[in-house]
Amino acid sequence: MTETRTHQATDEGRSIQRAQHPVKILLVDDSPENLMSLEAALETLGEQLVLAHSGAEALRHLLDDEFAAILLDVKMPEMDGFQTADLIRRRKRSRHTPIIFLTGYRNDEHLFRGYDLGAVDFLFKPIIPEIVRSKVGVFVELSRSTAMLRRQTETLRKAELKFRSLLEAAPDAMAVVDQDEKIILVNAQTERMFGYRREELLGSPIDVLVPQHREAFFTEPRVRPMGTGLELRGVRKDGVEFPLEISLSPLETDEGLLVTAAMRDITERKKVDQEIRELNARLESRVNERTAALLASNTALQQSNDDLNQFVYAASHDLQEPLRLVALYSQLLRQRCGASLGEQVRQCLSFILDGAFRMEALLKDLLSYSLVGAAQEGPARPIACADVLEKVLLNLQPSMVQNEAVVSYGDLPTIESHEYRLIQLFQNILGNAIKYRGTDAPRIAIKASRRPEDWLFSIEDNGIGIKPEYYRQVFGIFKRLHGSKYPGTGIGLAICQRVVESYGGTIWVESTPGQGSVFHFTLPPHLPPRQPAPPAEESVATTVP
């Protein structure tokens, strides 16, 4: 059962193959009856049958076509089969085409002559169809196999030609090495890179080019792409070594293991890498030098700022005492001698007292400004902003009552800071919102929202507002936009900015003149660890009591 199916499958396969690639069979006989008999016997093969009634007609067919087999009658007028076969064999194209002679005579001389002319067989008349089909079928299959082999050979030739073309066009040096470690193929780039002629390399061991070949090529052969760290030393014909990067592609074939190697000269890359490393080293050295200089400059600047703060504190503190004396004695003079003094003198005393009071207020605010961030404040601690706001509202109670001000606020966070600084921050902003009121009673709303890195506070009022060109100016020290129309020293918002920035935050204002302002500032929930300050030189002149 299995044998029958196998034969059936094979027959079906052959039928498909015949349908796709039918071959031609040339039948030559001067007798139409004999041609009809041959055609009837061979038509079941499914091939293309070409009929010729003479040797000359057969030769004309051979000029145009190739045939898998030729069935040639020996006895024909004008040109017999032997003469026709001789002319067929003289043509290069049909020199190897199988010829089967048809004859009605069993004559040894005919046999010898026919085989001498290249006949492959003789068929004797009368023709037996089965024998004809069997013998012709063998040559048909042989022709088909030959044609297939020819196509495969041509395909392989084209593939090899394409492979060699790609090999030659490759930008890298390419070499194919067999299992005996011999070079069997190289490209022109290999000749240029290593200085050898192709003939010198073919059949030579690979260690002529790469001395460390065994570890690179044949120890655990596997695909290694270019740039995966396989770096070797190549050797040119003149003996000069150079750095080489190699990619490998092993292939198992019937003849054994073949390894295709792509080799790249990385001398320039190594040089550039070294220059980059040297440049990085120089840059790193310069960065370190500049960092050290910057740290020294920052230390000096910090020391200068500390000295300046101490000076401002001492100056503002020490200046208050003589200022109090000026105010005190001016008041005594006005009280004791006021009746005997003239109007002009009394007016001068009033100017002196007003100036002294303004100067005292300026010194107090300047003292507050200098104390922001001072070391005497101590470490920061968690402060509830709601508690701070309660104290600020208590301090501002008289002004709020006088102006019928209303302050509203929601949930406020607890942040790491200093209570006194937060009181300064909120009290200055709220005090300004009450002082610079519009025609309506002050309405102030305080909000706080959590952001990924900090808390955003917003204090909105319905006061007179600020023009956009003054948004930055209002945070300057002693900057006042309204002259003496409103009381104050113009240092309140400068203190607010210094408080916020001392914690690493920012402060800004948005406003519409005549409709109010919104002051925004950010504060972190936690402060970074405080760096110890460098030891400062002692100074008796700036010691703060």
Side-chain angles (χ1 to χ4, degrees):
M1 181 73 69
T2 303
E3 185 176 350
T4 302
R5 285 199 298 270
T6 302
H7 288 313
Q8 185 177 1
T10 302
D11 292 340
E12 291 176 356
R14 289 176 179 172
S15 298
I16 293 172
Q17 191 176 32
R18 282 197 297 270
Q20 293 176 345
H21 302 286
V23 299
K24 293 182 178 182
I25 304 170
L26 181 59
L27 308 179
V28 186
D29 199 312
D30 62 319
S31 171
E33 292 80 6
N34 291 339
L35 286 178
M36 290 181 61
S37 299
L38 291 172
E39 188 177 12
L42 297 175
E43 66 179 356
T44 56
L45 293 178
E47 309 300 343
Q48 186 175 351
L49 303 178
V50 179
L51 308 182
H53 297 83
S54 65
E57 187 179 355
L59 292 175
R60 284 196 298 271
H61 284 300
L62 286 166
L63 290 174
D64 300 326
D65 296 315
E66 292 186 7
F67 295 91
I70 302 174
L71 276 66
L72 182 58
D73 185 26
V74 172
K75 189 177 180 180
M76 291 187 297
E78 297 181 2
M79 184 187 301
D80 64 17
F82 294 134
Q83 293 172 324
T84 304
D86 183 45
L87 294 174
I88 291 174
R89 286 291 180 251
R90 290 183 184 183
R91 295 180 65 254
K92 182 178 180 181
R93 184 176 179 182
S94 57
R95 183 173 300 165
H96 301 290
T97 303
I99 298 176
I100 302 175
F101 281 112
L102 305 174
T103 181
Y105 303 97
R106 290 181 180 271
N107 186 306
D108 290 341
E109 182 181 354
H110 281 191
L111 294 177
F112 292 149
R113 188 179 177 187
Y115 287 126
D116 186 56
L117 290 171
V120 296
D121 204 351
F122 275 84
L123 290 176
F124 297 98
K125 299 176 182 180
I127 301 300
I128 301 175
E130 291 79 6
I131 295 177
V132 174
R133 281 196 300 271
S134 177
K135 290 190 175 185
V136 173
V138 171
F139 292 112
V140 167
E141 293 301 325
L142 179 61
S143 174
R144 183 171 285 112
S145 299
T146 302
M148 183 181 298
L149 182 60
R150 190 182 300 117
R151 289 193 297 269
Q152 291 176 346
T153 303
E154 181 64 18
T155 301
L156 290 175
R157 188 189 68 81
K158 291 181 179 179
E160 182 180 1
L161 182 62
K162 184 177 181 180
F163 174 73
R164 288 180 179 271
S165 299
L166 292 174
L167 206 66
E168 289 297 325
D172 296 318
M174 305 291 293
V176 180
V177 183
D178 63 15
Q179 61 183 2
D180 296 325
E181 307 173 16
K182 303 292 185 181
I183 301 173
I184 62 173
L185 193 63
V186 295
N187 66 348
Q189 184 63 21
T190 304
E191 297 179 274
R192 288 191 288 269
M193 182 181 293
F194 290 92
Y196 289 94
R197 296 194 311 274
R198 193 171 310 213
E199 296 76 18
E200 296 177 287
L201 293 176
L202 297 180
S204 300
I206 187 62
D207 58 6
V208 170
L209 305 180
V210 188
Q212 308 101 315
H213 70 282
R214 173 164 294 280
E215 179 182 353
F217 284 72
F218 292 99
T219 300
E220 297 182 1
R222 56 184 175 85
V223 175
R224 293 186 178 94
M226 192 72 75
T228 56
L230 184 59
E231 294 184 7
L232 304 175
R233 303 293 296 179
V235 181
R236 295 190 175 93
K237 186 177 180 179
D238 57 9
V240 175
E241 291 189 359
F242 63 98
L244 199 66
E245 188 175 62
I246 297 181
S247 68
L248 300 178
S249 298
L251 177 65
E252 286 288 350
T253 67
D254 295 337
E255 290 77 22
L257 178 66
L258 296 180
V259 178
T260 302
M263 297 170 284
R264 183 176 299 170
D265 184 352
I266 56 174
T267 302
E268 288 300 320
R269 194 179 77 187
K270 287 284 189 180
K271 182 179 178 181
V272 172
D273 289 344
Q274 181 62 29
E275 291 176 352
I276 291 175
R277 284 194 293 270
E278 292 175 357
L279 177 60
N280 286 339
R282 291 196 298 270
L283 289 175
E284 185 176 358
S285 177
R286 292 178 62 182
V287 168
N288 290 337
E289 291 174 0
R290 292 191 176 186
T291 301
L294 184 60
L295 290 175
S297 175
N298 287 341
T299 302
L301 182 61
Q302 183 64 38
Q303 182 63 43
S304 176
N305 286 337
D306 291 343
D307 292 343
L308 181 60
N309 284 334
Q310 290 182 4
F311 170 77
V312 171
Y313 178 86
S316 59
H317 181 272
D318 295 342
L319 285 175
Q320 289 186 60
E321 188 61 29
L323 194 61
R324 290 193 192 99
L325 291 178
V326 171
L328 177 62
Y329 284 104
S330 296
Q331 287 176 321
L332 287 175
L333 182 61
R334 188 171 61 179
Q335 290 174 0
R336 294 180 182 181
C337 305
S340 61
L341 296 176
E343 181 63 26
Q344 186 175 6
V345 175
R346 286 197 301 272
Q347 187 176 11
C348 288
L349 284 176
S350 297
F351 290 155
I352 292 174
L353 284 172
D354 291 342
F357 293 147
R358 287 198 303 272
M359 180 63 73
E360 184 179 12
L362 284 172
L363 289 175
K364 286 182 178 178
D365 288 343
L366 186 61
L367 182 62
S368 298
Y369 184 82
S370 67
L371 286 176
V372 175
Q376 290 86 347
E377 291 180 320
R381 60 184 180 83
I383 301 295
C385 293
D387 295 343
V388 170
L389 193 57
E390 291 294 334
K391 295 181 180 180
V392 169
L393 295 178
L394 184 61
N395 294 340
L396 295 175
Q397 185 68 24
S399 177
M400 292 178 61
V401 171
Q402 181 181 353
N403 290 276
E404 299 180 348
V406 176
V407 177
S408 61
Y409 58 93
D411 293 335
L412 298 179
T414 296
I415 60 174
E416 193 172 339
S417 60
H418 300 81
E419 185 181 59
Y420 178 69
R421 289 199 210 177
L422 291 184
I423 291 177
Q424 286 182 304
L425 175 61
F426 282 101
Q427 186 163 317
N428 277 299
I429 296 177
L430 293 178
N432 282 349
I434 297 172
K435 179 172 27 176
Y436 298 103
R437 57 170 291 179
T439 56
D440 297 333
R443 296 293 181 266
I444 305 168
I446 304 173
K447 299 177 182 178
S449 59
R450 187 70 163 91
R451 303 196 306 181
E453 301 296 332
D454 52 30
W455 282 94
L456 172 63
F457 291 82
S458 300
I459 301 179
E460 182 178 3
D461 64 53
N462 61 342
I464 60 175
I466 302 170
K467 294 181 179 180
E469 58 265 31
Y470 298 124
Y471 284 176
R472 295 177 60 87
Q473 184 176 339
V474 295
F475 295 102
I477 189 170
F478 300 133
K479 296 295 183 181
R480 306 187 66 204
L481 304 183
H482 305 284
S484 59
K485 182 178 179 181
Y486 295 91
T489 61
I491 202 173
L493 290 180
I495 293 176
C496 293
Q497 184 179 44
R498 190 164 189 184
V499 168
V500 170
E501 291 180 351
S502 70
Y503 292 119
T506 55
I507 185 170
W508 68 97
V509 64
E510 297 174 352
S511 180
T512 302
Q515 298 183 19
S517 304
V518 182
F519 281 86
H520 304 280
F521 58 88
T522 62
L523 292 174
H526 303 286
L527 298 180
R530 189 170 185 176
Q531 299 296 329
E537 296 181 0
E538 295 184 359
S539 176
V540 176
T542 58
T543 300
V544 181

